[in-house]
């Protein structure tokens, strides 16, 4: 090969290398576009159970409507105003403050595959209605309706005086009239006794589902169990509307109890728990004295072989 041919060959090879280098695609931009498209495709919305208009001081339970297993998920709750008691679990809790008309709740979650989900709920707070007091204008100012009672009684007495002056003999007949007026005041009919004898319900202070598949519930009660009374712990699915579905897990004298859930007896979903004070034997005739409010719990049922750990 001559020197001129070698030079021409090297020139052509150099041009081919430069041309191939300029036509190479940019893998980084394609990868970024694919990742963005996948994230948009797997984004999902999370409905949150509607909450009826609560009143200030009420405890509200926020339960997301998620049908699949939430193992490996992460949850983040936010509220405006910030009244959440817990914000990093499946179901959150808040207490309605005073002097607010609405509470905005937002939920962000990421499932086990990394797909983001969002949900929101607007809670309308029931405003307390103050009883309007009637008033009557007097020369000195304004007086409540309660001041009208002695005024009416005072007007009744002068009407009895001229009757007595006209006919002294019928005084005995007017005396019974006065006694009838006195007996017409049934003061003992006021009902303070039922209020004094009312029994307050148990209050559930702790309800959680442990990673081992154990449900732990603890409660307090300001009463004292008699020898014939027990606490009954009840657990049932929100999907089962039958009254008999709210059966007792156990009867106990203690203020705490733990039991295990599995995929056979307790399918994944939302359940309710309450604690009742029962009078009578569990295997005979018994009655409910009082019970706590129903607390929701979302259950990711573990393997059927799991057993609850011992309580501390």
């Amino acid at each position: 090969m001559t020197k001129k041919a070698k030079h021409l060959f090297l020139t052509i090879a150099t041009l081919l290398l430069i041309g191939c280098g300029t036509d190479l695609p940019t893998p980084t931009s394609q990868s970024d576009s694919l990742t963005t498209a996948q994230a948009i495709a797997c984004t999902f919305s999370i409905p949150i159970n509607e909450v009826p208009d609560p009143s200030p001081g009420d405890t509200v339970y926020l339960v997301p409507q998620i049908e699949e297993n939430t193992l490996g998920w992460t949850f983040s709750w936010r509220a405006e105003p910030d009244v959440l008691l817990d914000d990093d679990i499946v179901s959150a809790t808040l207490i309605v403050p005073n002097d607010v008309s609405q509470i905005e709740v937002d939920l962000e979650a990421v499932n086990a595959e990394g797909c983001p989900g969002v949900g929101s709920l607007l809670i309308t707070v029931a405003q307390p209605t103050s009883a309007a007091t009637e008033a009557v204008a007097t020369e000195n100012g304004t007086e409540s309706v309660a001041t009208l009672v002695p005024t009416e009684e005072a007007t009744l007495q002068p009407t009895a005086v001229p009757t007595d002056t006209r006919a002294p003999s019928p005084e005995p007949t007017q005396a019974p009239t006065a006694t009838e007026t006195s007996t017409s005041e049934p003061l003992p009919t006021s009902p303070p006794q039922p209020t004094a004898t009312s029994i307050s319900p148990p209050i559930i202070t702790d309800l959680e589902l442990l990673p081992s598949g154990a449900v732990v519930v603890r409660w307090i009660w300001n009463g004292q169990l008699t020898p014939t009374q027990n606490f009954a712990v009840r657990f049932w699915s929100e999907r089962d509307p039958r009254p008999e579905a709210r059966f007792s897990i156990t009867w106990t004298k203690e203020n705490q109890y733990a039991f295990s859930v599995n995929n056979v007896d307790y399918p994944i979903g939302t359940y309710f728990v309450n604690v009742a004070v029962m009078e009578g034997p569990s295997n005979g005739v018994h009655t409910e004295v009082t019970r706590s409010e129903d607390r929701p719990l979302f259950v990711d049922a573990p393997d059927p072989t799991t057993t609850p750990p011992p309580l501390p």
Side-chain angles (χ1 to χ4, degrees):
M1 182 181 292
T2 63
K3 181 182 295 185
K4 185 176 181 180
K6 289 181 179 179
H7 179 74
L8 179 61
F9 176 78
L10 292 174
T11 302
I12 293 173
T14 302
L15 292 175
L16 289 174
L17 290 175
I18 295 173
C20 293
T22 57
D23 294 336
L24 290 177
T26 56
T28 303
S29 61
Q30 293 181 355
S31 176
D32 293 342
S33 300
L34 182 60
T35 302
T36 304
Q38 291 176 345
I40 296 175
C42 73
T43 301
F44 61 98
S45 62
I46 305 175
I48 304 174
N49 281 358
E50 293 294 332
V51 179
D53 299 349
S55 301
D58 289 351
T59 301
V60 175
Y61 304 97
L62 304 171
V63 181
Q65 298 179 4
I66 301 176
E67 300 297 335
E68 57 183 295
N69 191 342
T70 58
L71 184 64
W73 289 44
T74 58
F75 293 86
S76 177
W77 293 87
R78 292 189 301 273
E80 177 61 35
D82 187 7
V83 290
L84 289 172
L85 300 180
D86 38 33
D87 55 7
D88 58 352
I89 58 177
V90 178
S91 300
T93 308
L94 62 86
I95 297 179
V96 179
N98 296 321
D99 302 327
V100 297
S101 59
Q102 291 182 336
I103 301 176
E104 298 180 5
V105 177
D106 294 311
L107 169 63
E108 295 181 0
V110 179
N111 63 13
E113 289 76 24
C115 294
V118 294
S120 63
L121 178 66
L122 181 62
I123 302 174
T124 302
V125 180
Q127 299 300 320
T129 58
S130 58
T133 58
E134 299 180 358
V136 56
T138 62
E139 295 180 356
N140 297 327
T142 304
E143 297 180 357
S144 62
V145 177
T147 58
L148 294 177
V149 176
T151 305
E152 292 177 354
E153 291 179 355
T155 56
L156 291 177
Q157 292 177 0
T159 56
V161 173
T163 304
D164 294 338
T165 55
R166 291 176 184 176
S169 57
E171 288 182 358
T173 58
Q174 289 183 357
T177 304
T179 56
E180 289 178 2
T181 304
S182 61
T183 55
S184 64
E185 299 177 359
L187 296 178
T189 58
S190 58
Q193 294 182 353
T195 304
T197 57
S198 61
I199 301 176
S200 60
I203 299 175
I204 297 177
T205 58
D206 189 15
L207 177 62
E208 58 181 330
L209 176 64
L210 301 180
S212 62
V215 177
V216 179
V217 56
R218 297 180 178 89
W219 62 90
I220 59 175
W221 186 48
N222 62 1
Q224 183 69 33
L225 292 178
T226 66
T228 58
Q229 291 178 346
N230 290 276
F231 291 116
V233 180
R234 297 161 176 165
F235 186 73
W236 72 96
S237 173
E238 69 169 356
R239 301 178 182 176
D240 196 337
R242 301 173 303 162
E244 59 269 22
R246 306 178 184 187
F247 60 90
S248 299
I249 296 294
T250 187
W251 283 34
T252 178
K253 295 279 190 182
E254 304 296 329
N255 288 77
Q256 59 184 0
Y257 187 70
F259 58 95
S260 62
V261 295
N262 55 59
N263 289 323
V264 177
D265 298 325
Y266 305 102
I268 296 173
T270 301
Y271 290 77
F272 285 102
V273 179
N274 71 26
V275 178
V277 177
M278 306 298 296
E279 176 69 43
S282 60
N283 57 353
V285 178
H286 51 263
T287 58
E288 179 186 282
V289 178
T290 182
R291 70 171 180 268
S292 69
E293 64 179 4
D294 300 339
R295 289 283 300 273
L297 178 69
F298 187 82
V299 172
D300 286 331
D303 297 334
T305 56
T306 58
T307 56
L311 289 170

